[in-house]
Amino acid sequence: MRWGPAIRALLFVVYPLVVYVALEYVEAKYLGVALFVLLGLRYRKNAGRFAAAFDGVGWIVLVLTASFVAAVWWSNDEWLLRLYPALLNLIVLGVFAYTLWHPPSMIERFARLEESVLSADAIRYTRRLTLVWCVFFVCNGLVATYTALFATREVWTLYNGFIAYGLMGALFFGEWLVRRHFLSQEAAR
């Protein structure tokens, strides 16, 4: 088993906790460089697949991230590091919203991984669900921004490292329940 992808994913999930602990020992600019290296490794691994799926949007993500890291290095400010979860929400929102204007929608793309043929009703459902996720990313990004700018480091870590993931999990699980109900009704027709 290859541990690289699992370790990179884990580092993104625990990013707020890592920042919380590391800022006691290291300047913000060095954490920004570490983040950039981590993102570069992740992007290098997925660049072809991401760029092909979204017509080159991957380059926009890379430029945004590089600009963010340059700003962290130049300012050496903790609050910029704390804005990373908000930036991530903005990027994911952008990708999901992009698929609403350039179908298939993001959730339809995920659904087609399981089932290649979807009914017109299922396609409408996946489109609405993509919109729900967009609303979630807007709200989550606003709270992430608020905690970065106005909350203590502890509150920021609690929200961005735990509560936000709990909310994502709840939305994912709730959607899974609704989807199962939707599919059972569609199969009964």
Side-chain angles (χ1 to χ4, degrees), residues 64-65 68 83-92 145:
L64 279 173
T65 305
F68 173 78
L83 279 172
Y84 179 70
L87 176 65
L88 192 57
N89 274 279
L90 181 64
I91 289 170
V92 176
T145 301

Side-chain angles (χ1 to χ4, degrees), residues 90-116:
L90 181 64
I91 289 170
V92 176
L93 168 65
V95 171
F96 272 59
Y98 175 85
T99 67
L100 290 172
W101 282 278
H102 300 280
S105 69
M106 181 60 79
I107 302 301
E108 181 182 342
R109 293 170 196 232
F110 292 148
R112 288 188 185 277
L113 293 174
E114 290 181 26
E115 233 174 281
S116 59

Side-chain angles (χ1 to χ4, degrees), residues 43-149:
Y43 182 78
R44 185 179 57 86
K45 179 79 172 159
N46 298 317
R49 191 173 26 179
F50 189 75
F54 301 105
D55 304 324
V57 173
W59 286 107
I60 295 169
V61 171
L62 188 62
V63 168
L64 279 173
T65 305
S67 300
F68 173 78
V69 170
V72 170
W73 177 264
W74 180 74
S75 70
N76 196 25
D77 241 336
E78 172 184 339
W79 72 269
L80 268 178
L81 275 177
R82 289 171 46 175
L83 279 172
Y84 179 70
L87 176 65
L88 192 57
N89 274 279
L90 181 64
I91 289 170
V92 176
L93 168 65
V95 171
F96 272 59
Y98 175 85
T99 67
L100 290 172
W101 282 278
H102 300 280
S105 69
M106 181 60 79
I107 302 301
E108 181 182 342
R109 293 170 196 232
F110 292 148
R112 288 188 185 277
L113 293 174
E114 290 181 26
E115 233 174 281
S116 59
V117 178
L118 296 174
S119 69
D121 286 340
I123 291 171
R124 277 191 296 280
Y125 172 77
T126 59
R127 184 171 176 76
R128 284 191 304 264
L129 186 56
T130 300
L131 185 59
V132 167
W133 275 102
C134 287
V135 170
F136 172 82
F137 291 125
V138 166
C139 295
N140 195 48
L142 289 172
V143 175
T145 301
Y146 179 84
T147 61
L149 298 176

